[in-house]
Amino acid sequence: MAQPNHFLPPSRGFTLIELSIVLVIIGLLVGGVLVGRDLIQAAHLRQQVSQLERYSTAAQTFKAKYGALPGDIAQNKRPDFGLRNDNIAFQPCPVNDGGIYACGGLVASGVETGLIYIEPILFFYDLAFMNLIPDKINYSVYNALVTPGDTVPSLALHPEFGMVALTFQGRLGYYLGITPGFGNNWTWLDQHSSSGALSPLEASQLDGKLDDGIPSTGRVMAVMSTELGIPIYADTTTQCVADATAKAYANTDTPAMCRMFIAAW
C-alpha cells in the first residue's frame, strides 16, 4: 500500500496582490483600446471638419475669380471657362441667381421631366475642374447620376455617404446624407437620403466643433427630409434628436441616424 508523501509542497491559489496586478493589466488593456478608438474617432471628425472648410474656401475663391458660385455660371458662359455644358441634365439653372438650387426645366421636346438643372451636384464638378479641391468629380454622362466618390464627394467621416451643395434661406451649405442611386425628378434628394449619414454622437460632436451643439439652431442643423431639394428644419421626428423640441441630440452612437445641413459660412 502506497504511503502518502508528506514532503509535497502544499497547493496554493493566487494571492490578492497577484489578482490585483492581473486586474490592473486588464484594465490598462481595455482602457488603451477605448482611448485608441476615441483617438481614431477624433481624427475622423477632424478630417470631416477639414473637408467642409476646404470646400467653403474653394467656393469663395471660385466666386472671387469667376464672379459666380461654382455650379451657378450661366450655361452659355460655361465654355468661356472651359466648363462642360453638353449634358442637358447636368446644367446650372437658367438664371444666374447667386445661389445653388435644384430647379426644374423642359427638355428639348417640350416635355416636363422634373429635375433638369442640378447645381447641387455641378457645384463640386466645377470646383474640381478648376483644381480648387483635390476630389476627382466626374461629369455625369447620363442625367443626374448620384454616386458618392464619383459625381459627388464622399464624406470623410463615412465614405459610403455623399454630400451635395444647397442654398437654403439665402445660405450656401452642404447636405450630408446622400446614398448611391439615380434620380431624375424633383424628389431626388428624398430618394437618395432615406437614412442618415452620421450617428447622433457624431452629429453632436460635429455640431459642437463648428457651431453651438444644438440640432435646431445655428450653422449646423439636423434635418428631417427634403422637399424639392430643400431641407426641412429641424429634425424632431427621428432618433437623431432627443425629443420634439430638438434642443439636444440623442444620447446614442447608433450609426446613420442623422442627416445634416451645414452652412458654408
Side-chain angles (χ1 to χ4, degrees), residues 148-173:
D150 183 30
T151 53
V152 297
S154 291
L155 301 186
L157 197 56
H158 293 292
E160 67 273 26
F161 295 102
M163 73 174 78
V164 293
L166 285 171
T167 295
F168 179 78
Q169 295 183 342
R171 301 185 75 182
L172 172 67

Side-chain angles (χ1 to χ4, degrees), residues 189-236:
L189 267 180
D190 293 296
Q191 294 174 350
H192 303 302
S193 58
S194 58
S195 64
L198 278 62
S199 71
L201 178 60
E202 292 169 334
S204 177
Q205 292 171 338
L206 187 62
D207 198 332
K209 275 189 171 293
L210 293 172
D211 196 31
D212 57 8
I214 301 175
S216 57
T217 62
R219 176 187 172 193
V220 180
M221 303 182 74
V223 297
M224 288 164 47
S225 61
T226 59
E227 186 173 284
L228 305 186
I230 300 300
I232 302 173
Y233 293 86
D235 190 340
T236 58

